[in-house]
Structure formats: structure tokens, C-alpha cells
């Protein structure tokens, strides 16, 4: 049985016996649709929408990785070029670091 935060009674937060009445049982019906990996089971009527949604997110993830790698490399190059001047180093070093992190994120 799961417990969720409920209402606390008015008398010093106790239920009269000395226990705090802050936890109350909740409905666990939603858990019956979860599998061992923690993913929810999709009802058969909603499965086409779920499949399309998963396909769209897959395409956007792949596209994002393909775009982020060259963008990160370009930002690293721009950051290094700006850092060649002493005054530009204030902007160039963080720009190169951001480009590096973007490139690393696109790879892993």
C-alpha cells in the first residue's frame, strides 16, 4: 500500500494517540499498468498515437544530435578565435567551453 501526504489534524498534528496523521493511503490503480522497467503499458486503442509519438521523438533526438555536433565544433573554433585577443578571452573561453560541452553531449 502506498502512502501519500494527507491533511494534518488540528490538535497539534496528532490523531489523538500521538501518531502524526500526515500520511494517508492512496489509490494504487495506476501502478497496475506499469511493467518491471517502470514504463507504462499503453492501451491498445491508444497504441497508434503512442507509436507516432515515439517515432517523432526519435527523429527529433537524432536530428538534434546531428545538428549539435557541428554547432559545438563551430562554437569551439569561434571561442578559440575570439580568445586570441586578451580582451576577447572573457567571452571566448566560456564560448569554447560551451561548444565543447555541446559536442560531448551530442556524442553521448
Amino acid at each position: 500500500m502506498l502512502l501519500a501526504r494527507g491533511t494534518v489534524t488540528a490538535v497539534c498534528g496528532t490523531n489523538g494517540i500521538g501518531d502524526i496523521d500526515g500520511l494517508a493511503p492512496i489509490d494504487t490503480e495506476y501502478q497496475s499498468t506499469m511493467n518491471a522497467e517502470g514504463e507504462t503499458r499503453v492501451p491498445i486503442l491508444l497504441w497508434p498515437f503512442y507509436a507516432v509519438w515515439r517515432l517523432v521523438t526519435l527523429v527529433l533526438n537524432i536530428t538534434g544530435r546531428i545538428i549539435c555536433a557541428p554547432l559545438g565544433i563551430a562554437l569551439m573554433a569561434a571561442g578559440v578565435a575570439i580568445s586570441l585577443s586578451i580582451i576577447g578571452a572573457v567571452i571566448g573561453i566560456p564560448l569554447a567551453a560551451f561548444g565543447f560541452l555541446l559536442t560531448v553531449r551530442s556524442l553521448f
Side-chain angles (χ1 to χ4, degrees):
M1 176 186 333
L2 289 179
L3 297 176
R5 185 142 316 269
T7 58
V8 178
T9 55
V11 183
C12 297
T14 64
N15 62 6
I17 305 173
D19 297 326
I20 296 176
D21 190 24
L23 297 177
I26 62 171
D27 185 22
T28 59
E29 180 179 334
Y30 74 93
Q31 278 195 346
S32 64
T33 61
M34 299 196 57
N35 60 17
E37 289 83 30
E39 295 182 13
T40 58
R41 290 179 26 198
V42 179
I44 192 73
L45 292 175
L46 297 177
W47 190 85
F49 299 106
Y50 177 75
V52 169
W53 183 260
R54 294 284 299 221
L55 179 66
V56 168
T57 56
L58 176 70
V59 168
L60 289 177
N61 281 334
I62 291 172
T63 304
R65 287 177 183 247
I66 290 173
I67 290 172
C68 282
L71 183 64
I73 293 170
L75 286 175
M76 280 193 295
V80 169
I82 292 173
S83 294
L84 293 177
S85 69
I86 301 299
I87 296 172
V90 174
I91 295 173
I93 292 172
L95 189 63
F98 180 70
F100 175 74
L101 292 174
L102 198 61
T103 304
V104 169
R105 175 66 180 111
S106 70
L107 295 176
F108 300 109

